[in-house]
Amino acid sequence: MSRAQISALVFGVGGFGALVAATASNEWKVTTRASSVITATWVYQGLWMNCAGYIQACRGLMIAAVSLGFFGSIFALFGMKCTKVGGSDKAKAKIACLAGIVFILSGLCSMTGCSLYANKITTEFFDPHYVEQKMVYTYNGATSVMSSRTKYHGGEGDFKTTNPSKQFDKNAYV
């Protein structure tokens, strides 16, 4: 039983570490303003770059997820049978159950924050009335787990992959 508890603690703390890394990352949205690979200008944006309304909501959800993950890790450590802290086996079982619930809440908060961010980027990209300059969006970091899209060719009602341009054949760079 203690091997299962130790592996659960390792996975929980590993997930908490990944959550902290994703929250602090500056690669939530990567854009380019170039027509060719040679003159590409890459712009990296994270949750801490600007103060738009949806970004503040995502930032709050991710901070809540990090806080819940921290307390879930502490509760999981105290709820293990192999530790001396936490009281009787019955009390430790309740603490371990509380740790599981807190980890689930942390995961829901982070999943909601990433989904909100990815949804906003996708709707801005496909909105024909969006005022800012159209740029190529790619999902990196935390949002790549939540969303992957292919280009939409309007009118047909389905998603299709694009064919490479005819000008880039096998002798294009010779």
Side-chain angles (χ1 to χ4, degrees):
M1 186 67 162
S2 79
R3 283 187 186 176
Q5 286 183 345
I6 290 172
S7 63
L9 177 70
V10 167
F11 285 129
V13 171
F16 169 68
L19 180 64
V20 169
T23 303
S25 174
N26 283 335
E27 295 183 0
W28 280 66
K29 181 169 69 172
V30 180
T31 58
T32 182
R33 296 184 180 125
S35 59
S36 71
V37 178
I38 297 171
T39 61
T41 302
W42 296 93
V43 179
Y44 295 94
Q45 291 181 341
L47 291 178
W48 313 103
M49 298 293 184
N50 56 19
C51 293
Y54 73 96
I55 293 179
Q56 288 180 347
C58 295
R59 188 184 306 155
L61 284 167
M62 293 302 284
I63 289 172
V66 167
S67 300
L68 287 170
F70 174 76
F71 288 116
S73 299
I74 299 297
F75 292 151
L77 187 63
F78 288 159
M80 293 178 63
K81 285 185 178 180
C82 60
T83 60
K84 304 278 186 206
V85 182
S88 67
D89 286 341
K90 200 172 207 182
K92 285 184 177 227
K94 289 181 182 179
I95 292 172
C97 183
L98 177 66
I101 292 170
V102 170
F103 275 134
I104 289 171
L105 289 174
S106 174
L108 287 174
C109 284
S110 65
M111 188 170 53
T112 305
C114 291
S115 296
L116 179 65
Y117 196 89
N119 182 35
K120 187 64 175 174
I121 289 174
T122 305
T123 55
E124 283 178 358
F125 181 74
F126 288 119
D127 184 14
H129 302 295
Y130 187 60
V131 178
E132 288 188 22
Q133 179 185 11
K134 287 287 185 182
M135 296 177 277
V136 177
Y137 290 106
T138 60
Y139 295 107
N140 279 339
T143 54
S144 65
V145 175
M146 302 308 295
S147 176
S148 64
R149 303 271 187 208
T150 57
K151 288 189 176 181
Y152 178 75
H153 296 284
E156 288 110 23
D158 60 345
F159 287 97
K160 293 183 177 181
T161 57
T162 59
N163 293 328
S165 176
K166 300 280 189 225
Q167 67 184 358
F168 295 113
D169 61 353
K170 63 182 179 180
N171 296 323
Y173 297 108
V174 177

